mmCIF file of all heavy atoms in Angstrom:
data_model
loop_
_atom_site.group_PDB
_atom_site.id
_atom_site.type_symbol
_atom_site.label_atom_id
_atom_site.label_comp_id
_atom_site.label_asym_id
_atom_site.label_seq_id
_atom_site.Cartn_x
_atom_site.Cartn_y
_atom_site.Cartn_z
ATOM 1 N N ALA A 1 -41.160 26.187 -26.109
ATOM 2 C CA ALA A 1 -41.511 24.895 -26.763
ATOM 3 C C ALA A 1 -41.707 25.045 -28.246
ATOM 4 O O ALA A 1 -41.351 24.169 -29.032
ATOM 5 C CB ALA A 1 -42.751 24.309 -26.086
ATOM 6 N N ASP A 2 -42.327 26.133 -28.669
ATOM 7 C CA ASP A 2 -42.537 26.335 -30.129
ATOM 8 C C ASP A 2 -41.222 26.465 -30.885
ATOM 9 O O ASP A 2 -41.075 25.872 -31.965
ATOM 10 C CB ASP A 2 -43.431 27.544 -30.368
ATOM 11 C CG ASP A 2 -44.888 27.302 -30.067
ATOM 12 O OD1 ASP A 2 -45.347 26.139 -30.252
ATOM 13 O OD2 ASP A 2 -45.580 28.180 -29.551
ATOM 14 N N GLU A 3 -40.290 27.177 -30.335
ATOM 15 C CA GLU A 3 -39.006 27.308 -30.995
ATOM 16 C C GLU A 3 -38.213 25.990 -30.958
ATOM 17 O O GLU A 3 -37.480 25.703 -31.846
ATOM 18 C CB GLU A 3 -38.170 28.450 -30.362
ATOM 19 C CG GLU A 3 -38.722 29.843 -30.672
ATOM 20 C CD GLU A 3 -38.817 30.144 -32.163
ATOM 21 O OE1 GLU A 3 -37.880 29.793 -32.897
ATOM 22 O OE2 GLU A 3 -39.835 30.617 -32.611
ATOM 23 N N MET A 4 -38.417 25.244 -29.863
ATOM 24 C CA MET A 4 -37.769 23.934 -29.809
ATOM 25 C C MET A 4 -38.274 23.051 -30.929
ATOM 26 O O MET A 4 -37.468 22.312 -31.593
ATOM 27 C CB MET A 4 -38.083 23.266 -28.449
ATOM 28 C CG MET A 4 -37.390 23.916 -27.245
ATOM 29 S SD MET A 4 -37.954 23.213 -25.657
ATOM 30 C CE MET A 4 -37.175 21.574 -25.732
ATOM 31 N N ILE A 5 -39.544 23.043 -31.187
ATOM 32 C CA ILE A 5 -40.144 22.216 -32.274
ATOM 33 C C ILE A 5 -39.500 22.586 -33.617
ATOM 34 O O ILE A 5 -39.086 21.718 -34.390
ATOM 35 C CB ILE A 5 -41.658 22.381 -32.295
ATOM 36 C CG1 ILE A 5 -42.277 21.670 -31.092
ATOM 37 C CG2 ILE A 5 -42.231 21.810 -33.621
ATOM 38 C CD1 ILE A 5 -43.760 21.944 -30.939
ATOM 39 N N ASP A 6 -39.377 23.871 -33.889
ATOM 40 C CA ASP A 6 -38.752 24.349 -35.101
ATOM 41 C C ASP A 6 -37.250 23.949 -35.152
ATOM 42 O O ASP A 6 -36.751 23.546 -36.221
ATOM 43 C CB ASP A 6 -38.913 25.845 -35.267
ATOM 44 C CG ASP A 6 -40.367 26.236 -35.563
ATOM 45 O OD1 ASP A 6 -41.156 25.358 -35.925
ATOM 46 O OD2 ASP A 6 -40.647 27.477 -35.409
ATOM 47 N N LEU A 7 -36.571 24.126 -34.051
ATOM 48 C CA LEU A 7 -35.140 23.856 -33.999
ATOM 49 C C LEU A 7 -34.836 22.399 -34.243
ATOM 50 O O LEU A 7 -33.843 22.073 -34.893
ATOM 51 C CB LEU A 7 -34.531 24.338 -32.660
ATOM 52 C CG LEU A 7 -33.056 24.220 -32.504
ATOM 53 C CD1 LEU A 7 -32.264 24.935 -33.581
ATOM 54 C CD2 LEU A 7 -32.618 24.764 -31.105
ATOM 55 N N ILE A 8 -35.636 21.521 -33.704
ATOM 56 C CA ILE A 8 -35.467 20.052 -33.942
ATOM 57 C C ILE A 8 -35.466 19.757 -35.446
ATOM 58 O O ILE A 8 -34.614 18.995 -35.923
ATOM 59 C CB ILE A 8 -36.491 19.243 -33.152
ATOM 60 C CG1 ILE A 8 -36.196 19.317 -31.659
ATOM 61 C CG2 ILE A 8 -36.457 17.788 -33.606
ATOM 62 C CD1 ILE A 8 -37.313 18.767 -30.795
ATOM 63 N N GLU A 9 -36.421 20.333 -36.145
ATOM 64 C CA GLU A 9 -36.513 20.126 -37.611
ATOM 65 C C GLU A 9 -35.248 20.613 -38.266
ATOM 66 O O GLU A 9 -34.655 19.975 -39.186
ATOM 67 C CB GLU A 9 -37.730 20.825 -38.194
ATOM 68 C CG GLU A 9 -39.093 20.284 -37.681
ATOM 69 C CD GLU A 9 -39.501 18.994 -38.393
ATOM 70 O OE1 GLU A 9 -38.893 18.684 -39.477
ATOM 71 O OE2 GLU A 9 -40.385 18.315 -37.894
ATOM 72 N N ASP A 10 -34.782 21.806 -37.839
ATOM 73 C CA ASP A 10 -33.598 22.403 -38.415
ATOM 74 C C ASP A 10 -32.332 21.616 -38.136
ATOM 75 O O ASP A 10 -31.443 21.514 -39.023
ATOM 76 C CB ASP A 10 -33.420 23.836 -37.909
ATOM 77 C CG ASP A 10 -34.484 24.796 -38.412
ATOM 78 O OD1 ASP A 10 -35.164 24.446 -39.391
ATOM 79 O OD2 ASP A 10 -34.660 25.880 -37.811
ATOM 80 N N ILE A 11 -32.184 21.035 -36.956
ATOM 81 C CA ILE A 11 -31.033 20.255 -36.624
ATOM 82 C C ILE A 11 -30.880 19.060 -37.613
ATOM 83 O O ILE A 11 -29.782 18.765 -38.096
ATOM 84 C CB ILE A 11 -31.080 19.750 -35.167
ATOM 85 C CG1 ILE A 11 -30.885 20.945 -34.187
ATOM 86 C CG2 ILE A 11 -30.055 18.673 -34.925
ATOM 87 C CD1 ILE A 11 -31.141 20.560 -32.743
ATOM 88 N N ALA A 12 -31.969 18.377 -37.881
ATOM 89 C CA ALA A 12 -31.932 17.196 -38.681
ATOM 90 C C ALA A 12 -31.413 17.468 -40.078
ATOM 91 O O ALA A 12 -30.735 16.625 -40.713
ATOM 92 C CB ALA A 12 -33.293 16.545 -38.769
ATOM 93 N N VAL A 13 -31.708 18.672 -40.590
ATOM 94 C CA VAL A 13 -31.274 19.017 -41.973
ATOM 95 C C VAL A 13 -30.156 20.052 -41.944
ATOM 96 O O VAL A 13 -29.710 20.547 -42.983
ATOM 97 C CB VAL A 13 -32.428 19.572 -42.798
ATOM 98 C CG1 VAL A 13 -33.484 18.473 -42.996
ATOM 99 C CG2 VAL A 13 -33.081 20.783 -42.196
ATOM 100 N N ARG A 14 -29.658 20.385 -40.722
ATOM 101 C CA ARG A 14 -28.567 21.332 -40.523
ATOM 102 C C ARG A 14 -28.863 22.688 -41.199
ATOM 103 O O ARG A 14 -28.066 23.250 -41.868
ATOM 104 C CB ARG A 14 -27.224 20.767 -41.046
ATOM 105 C CG ARG A 14 -26.711 19.577 -40.221
ATOM 106 C CD ARG A 14 -25.436 19.068 -40.839
ATOM 107 N NE ARG A 14 -24.780 18.038 -40.010
ATOM 108 C CZ ARG A 14 -23.783 18.258 -39.186
ATOM 109 N NH1 ARG A 14 -23.299 19.492 -39.019
ATOM 110 N NH2 ARG A 14 -23.280 17.280 -38.447
ATOM 111 N N GLU A 15 -30.101 23.159 -41.000
ATOM 112 C CA GLU A 15 -30.458 24.422 -41.557
ATOM 113 C C GLU A 15 -30.329 25.558 -40.555
ATOM 114 O O GLU A 15 -30.991 25.531 -39.527
ATOM 115 C CB GLU A 15 -31.941 24.328 -42.080
ATOM 116 C CG GLU A 15 -32.415 25.604 -42.726
ATOM 117 C CD GLU A 15 -33.809 25.468 -43.351
ATOM 118 O OE1 GLU A 15 -34.090 24.392 -43.915
ATOM 119 O OE2 GLU A 15 -34.574 26.390 -43.227
ATOM 120 N N GLY A 16 -29.528 26.515 -40.858
ATOM 121 C CA GLY A 16 -29.269 27.636 -39.981
ATOM 122 C C GLY A 16 -28.043 27.431 -39.120
ATOM 123 O O GLY A 16 -27.633 26.303 -38.826
ATOM 124 N N GLU A 17 -27.434 28.517 -38.699
ATOM 125 C CA GLU A 17 -26.160 28.430 -37.993
ATOM 126 C C GLU A 17 -26.274 27.727 -36.643
ATOM 127 O O GLU A 17 -25.422 26.918 -36.237
ATOM 128 C CB GLU A 17 -25.534 29.828 -37.809
ATOM 129 C CG GLU A 17 -25.090 30.450 -39.142
ATOM 130 C CD GLU A 17 -24.541 31.842 -38.967
ATOM 131 O OE1 GLU A 17 -25.369 32.729 -38.642
ATOM 132 O OE2 GLU A 17 -23.322 32.027 -39.125
ATOM 133 N N LEU A 18 -27.328 28.105 -35.873
ATOM 134 C CA LEU A 18 -27.474 27.456 -34.566
ATOM 135 C C LEU A 18 -27.734 25.947 -34.732
ATOM 136 O O LEU A 18 -27.085 25.156 -34.027
ATOM 137 C CB LEU A 18 -28.672 28.057 -33.817
ATOM 138 C CG LEU A 18 -29.008 27.476 -32.449
ATOM 139 C CD1 LEU A 18 -27.812 27.510 -31.508
ATOM 140 C CD2 LEU A 18 -30.218 28.115 -31.815
ATOM 141 N N ALA A 19 -28.622 25.548 -35.630
ATOM 142 C CA ALA A 19 -28.895 24.134 -35.815
ATOM 143 C C ALA A 19 -27.684 23.362 -36.268
ATOM 144 O O ALA A 19 -27.421 22.259 -35.807
ATOM 145 C CB ALA A 19 -30.064 23.984 -36.861
ATOM 146 N N ASP A 20 -26.915 23.922 -37.156
ATOM 147 C CA ASP A 20 -25.714 23.279 -37.667
ATOM 148 C C ASP A 20 -24.706 23.092 -36.567
ATOM 149 O O ASP A 20 -24.024 22.076 -36.465
ATOM 150 C CB ASP A 20 -25.112 24.075 -38.844
ATOM 151 C CG ASP A 20 -23.990 23.317 -39.521
ATOM 152 O OD1 ASP A 20 -24.192 22.160 -39.956
ATOM 153 O OD2 ASP A 20 -22.849 23.870 -39.621
ATOM 154 N N LEU A 21 -24.575 24.106 -35.712
ATOM 155 C CA LEU A 21 -23.678 24.023 -34.538
ATOM 156 C C LEU A 21 -24.106 22.892 -33.627
ATOM 157 O O LEU A 21 -23.299 22.018 -33.229
ATOM 158 C CB LEU A 21 -23.683 25.327 -33.810
ATOM 159 C CG LEU A 21 -22.854 25.375 -32.491
ATOM 160 C CD1 LEU A 21 -21.323 25.348 -32.808
ATOM 161 C CD2 LEU A 21 -23.217 26.597 -31.649
ATOM 162 N N LEU A 22 -25.423 22.864 -33.302
ATOM 163 C CA LEU A 22 -25.905 21.818 -32.343
ATOM 164 C C LEU A 22 -25.787 20.409 -32.969
ATOM 165 O O LEU A 22 -25.631 19.455 -32.197
ATOM 166 C CB LEU A 22 -27.328 22.127 -31.990
ATOM 167 C CG LEU A 22 -27.667 23.463 -31.289
ATOM 168 C CD1 LEU A 22 -29.074 23.517 -30.813
ATOM 169 C CD2 LEU A 22 -26.680 23.754 -30.127
ATOM 170 N N ALA A 23 -25.877 20.280 -34.248
ATOM 171 C CA ALA A 23 -25.754 18.953 -34.906
ATOM 172 C C ALA A 23 -24.424 18.280 -34.710
ATOM 173 O O ALA A 23 -24.319 17.100 -34.822
ATOM 174 C CB ALA A 23 -26.046 19.110 -36.380
ATOM 175 N N GLY A 24 -23.413 19.096 -34.370
ATOM 176 C CA GLY A 24 -22.082 18.536 -34.174
ATOM 177 C C GLY A 24 -21.837 17.944 -32.813
ATOM 178 O O GLY A 24 -20.831 17.275 -32.597
ATOM 179 N N GLY A 25 -22.778 18.113 -31.878
ATOM 180 C CA GLY A 25 -22.657 17.502 -30.571
ATOM 181 C C GLY A 25 -21.948 18.426 -29.563
ATOM 182 O O GLY A 25 -21.441 19.476 -29.872
ATOM 183 N N ALA A 26 -21.994 17.985 -28.282
ATOM 184 C CA ALA A 26 -21.534 18.839 -27.177
ATOM 185 C C ALA A 26 -20.080 19.238 -27.259
ATOM 186 O O ALA A 26 -19.721 20.395 -27.014
ATOM 187 C CB ALA A 26 -21.807 18.141 -25.837
ATOM 188 N N ASN A 27 -19.196 18.298 -27.628
ATOM 189 C CA ASN A 27 -17.783 18.635 -27.721
ATOM 190 C C ASN A 27 -17.543 19.660 -28.802
ATOM 191 O O ASN A 27 -16.737 20.567 -28.631
ATOM 192 C CB ASN A 27 -16.938 17.367 -27.975
ATOM 193 C CG ASN A 27 -16.698 16.548 -26.726
ATOM 194 O OD1 ASN A 27 -17.156 16.917 -25.648
ATOM 195 N ND2 ASN A 27 -16.011 15.460 -26.891
#
């Protein structure tokens, strides 16, 4: 859960490779 909280913040600003990947959606 703690990493999820951090990852959500990162997705919104596309910070980091994992977050940027997830920001593009499932396809």
Side-chain angles (χ1 to χ4, degrees):
D2 284 325
E3 289 304 315
M4 291 174 71
I5 289 171
D6 290 345
L7 183 55
I8 289 169
E9 295 282 345
D10 291 343
I11 288 171
V13 295
R14 292 178 172 262
E15 182 173 320
E17 292 178 292
L18 177 60
D20 188 55
L21 176 71
L22 300 188
N27 281 0

